[in-house]
């Protein structure tokens, strides 16, 4: 039977930290738009920060749906399934925020993770509802190993290559929402760190 928990601790924390893959669900505001579900499974990219906060490294990839939705409304659900051992499904509902690689907060958070190759942001989720359920419908599967493909692929592109890729692929969601356009911004140098657009870059919308 499903149960709602007050915090992520003990058995729950051990369970989510042990999973090799989890799923992130977001959606745009309003009745229209596309619901998105993204698998996350690169080792060293997920952490429980405290009893009500989790975070994961968002690696540069061909889309930026999660970032677009979080920047619009913040709603997010993370789901963890037991594919081995006793059946279980844990869902973390909450409000997420995007800590861009260009934000001051990024460096402090980045030092907590074991894998950062290709990172464009860290997603921090303030968890407002914690629940688990039976997981009887989830199949048993064996974990064989990590695919060291995405981080290595993005690492080989180099810093400027990744930025160019994001300009092409990540500036807009599939529904046309603003997503990751941070590569075309820079800190103005003022005391309050206002972001200003770089005039030498043409803003082009990419889709995934």
């Amino acid at each position: 039977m499903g149960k709602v928990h007050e915090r992520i601790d003990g058995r729950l924390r051990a369970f989510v930290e042990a999973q090799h893959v989890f799923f992130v669900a977001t959606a745009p505001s309003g009745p229209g738009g596309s619901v998105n579900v993204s698998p996350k499974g690169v080792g060293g990219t997920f952490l429980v920060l405290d009893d009500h906060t989790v975070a994961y490294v968002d690696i540069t990839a061909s889309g930026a749906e999660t970032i677009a939705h979080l920047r619009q409304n913040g709603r997010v659900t993370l789901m963890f399934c037991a594919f081995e051992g006793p059946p279980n499904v844990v869902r973390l509902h909450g409000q997420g925020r995007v800590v861009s690689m260009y934000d001051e907060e990024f460096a402090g958070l980045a030092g907590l993770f074991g894998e950062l190759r290709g990172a464009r942001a860290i997603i921090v989720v303030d968890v407002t509802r914690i629940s688990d359920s039976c997981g009887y419908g989830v199949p048993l599967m064996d974990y064989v190993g990590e695919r060291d493909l995405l981080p290595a692929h993005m690492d080989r592109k180099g810093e400027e290559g990744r930025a160019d890729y994001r300009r092409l692929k990540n500036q807009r969601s599939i529904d046309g929402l603003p997503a990751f356009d941070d590569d075309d911004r820079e800190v103005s140098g003022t005391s309050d760190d206002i972001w200003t657009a770089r005039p030498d870059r043409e803003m082009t919308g990419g889709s995934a």
Side-chain angles (χ1 to χ4, degrees):
M1 296 296 292
K3 182 179 179 181
V4 177
H5 301 267
E6 292 186 1
R7 58 185 59 86
I8 310 167
D9 63 358
R11 177 185 63 84
L12 278 177
R13 178 167 184 159
F15 175 77
V16 299
E17 290 182 333
Q19 301 315 303
H20 301 294
V21 62
F22 63 98
F23 303 90
V24 178
T26 58
S29 300
S34 305
V35 176
N36 185 70
V37 180
S38 293
K40 303 295 179 182
V42 177
T45 61
F46 174 81
L47 286 174
V48 177
L49 298 180
D50 60 42
D51 288 353
H52 294 93
T53 313
V54 300
Y56 68 87
V57 176
D58 188 76
I59 299 173
T60 299
S62 60
E65 299 300 297
T66 300
I67 288 176
H69 297 161
L70 292 182
R71 285 181 162 171
Q72 186 192 46
N73 59 50
R75 300 177 303 181
V76 64
T77 300
L78 278 60
M79 184 176 72
F80 302 78
C81 302
F83 295 107
E84 56 188 8
N88 193 23
V89 174
V90 172
R91 291 179 177 87
L92 307 177
H93 296 78
Q95 286 287 307
R97 59 189 178 90
V98 180
V99 180
S100 167
M101 59 185 289
Y102 298 108
D103 293 342
E104 288 187 359
E105 187 182 358
F106 182 85
L109 286 169
L112 303 174
F113 294 92
E115 177 63 84
L116 288 168
R117 289 176 296 169
R120 63 187 171 190
I122 293 171
I123 306 300
V124 179
V125 179
D126 297 321
V127 180
T128 56
R129 189 179 192 271
I130 305 156
S131 64
D132 64 357
S133 55
C134 66
Y136 289 171
V138 177
L140 287 167
M141 293 187 285
D142 293 328
Y143 173 71
V144 177
E146 296 286 327
R147 287 191 175 102
D148 187 23
L149 295 176
L150 180 60
H153 175 65
M154 288 300 162
D155 192 45
R156 287 193 297 270
K157 286 182 177 294
E159 183 177 353
E160 192 56 38
R162 289 190 296 274
D164 287 341
Y165 182 85
R166 289 189 293 264
R167 291 184 188 105
L168 178 66
K169 298 284 190 178
N170 293 172
Q171 291 195 340
R172 295 279 174 177
S173 76
I174 59 177
D175 296 319
L177 293 174
F180 193 91
D181 60 355
D182 302 38
D183 295 298
D184 288 311
R185 298 177 180 179
E186 62 182 4
V187 178
S188 66
T190 61
S191 59
D192 54 353
D193 292 331
I194 299 172
W195 292 101
T196 56
R198 290 171 56 180
D200 60 322
R201 295 291 186 183
E202 179 182 355
M203 302 295 286
T204 57
S207 60

